[in-house]
Amino acid sequence: MTRKITQLGPVGQLAYLPQDFDAAVRYWTETMGVGPFYLMENVALGDCKYKGVPTGAVFSIAIAYWGDVQIELIRPENTEPSIYTGEYAVTDSLHHICIFVDSIEEARAACAEAGAEILVEGTVGADGAVIYVDPGKGPGHVIELLQNMTGADGIFQMIKDAGKDWDGSEPLRKLG
């Protein structure tokens, strides 16, 4: 039996690529009551490739939790080839979902069985890895599969805990 990509785990994150990053933070914090967001600036994946070709894509992300689901807002910081520039740069709607996986190799195998095209691949920290795939529907249907680096679970828990009983102060906080 072929293992489906969605059988690797539940959706853990909804990611957006807003044209106006600051307005998106205001929407999520003021209208939806989600926050605080934690900003990580100038992120670059290790050994990053876009469609098999090395790229120097750099982006910033802001993460908060809406219950158990992570909300990620993305801001590209350069025009290097990536899913945040070019044909996959779907803005102001859901950009991609993320499934957290225990094994990036198992995720790769499931994607290969499903015929999903790997768009982006790279390393995260010393021992994490990520792939972004197109399962066959084109821009707007991207799935991120993330094997967290050591320590990420603690950071994500800290962000999640900050959202419990959040009083609306400091809606955007720098991390790192």
Side-chain angles (χ1 to χ4, degrees), residues 56-133:
V58 176
F59 53 94
S60 294
I61 58 174
I63 294 175
Y65 273 86
W66 188 11
D68 289 329
V69 176
Q70 232 182 53
I71 301 299
E72 179 182 56
L73 305 176
I74 304 143
R75 181 179 65 212
E77 299 295 355
N78 64 18
T79 58
E80 289 283 318
S82 77
I83 57 172
Y84 307 132
T85 61
E87 69 177 314
Y88 283 93
V90 175
T91 60
D92 296 329
S93 65
L94 184 65
H95 183 269
H96 67 267
I97 63 166
C98 178
I99 299 171
F100 298 102
V101 299
D102 293 328
S103 167
I104 203 69
E105 292 312 316
E106 185 179 339
R108 279 181 185 281
C111 291
E113 287 176 15
E117 176 189 8
I118 294 178
L119 301 172
V120 173
E121 58 189 307
T123 59
V124 182
D127 58 354
V130 66
I131 56 175
Y132 294 79
V133 301

Side-chain angles (χ1 to χ4, degrees), residues 109-167:
C111 291
E113 287 176 15
E117 176 189 8
I118 294 178
L119 301 172
V120 173
E121 58 189 307
T123 59
V124 182
D127 58 354
V130 66
I131 56 175
Y132 294 79
V133 301
D134 179 345
K137 297 292 184 182
H141 294 80
V142 174
I143 300 171
E144 174 186 7
L145 299 144
L146 176 64
Q147 177 185 312
N148 275 331
M149 66 179 187
T150 300
D153 291 340
I155 293 168
F156 290 158
Q157 188 62 52
M158 180 275 302
I159 295 170
K160 188 175 188 179
D161 289 346
K164 295 175 184 170
D165 300 320
W166 176 55
D167 65 3

Side-chain angles (χ1 to χ4, degrees), residues 12-30:
Q13 178 193 82
L14 305 176
Y16 299 86
L17 179 64
Q19 288 187 37
D20 185 333
F21 188 84
D22 295 330
V25 170
R26 281 191 305 278
Y27 169 79
W28 280 100
T29 57
E30 295 174 9

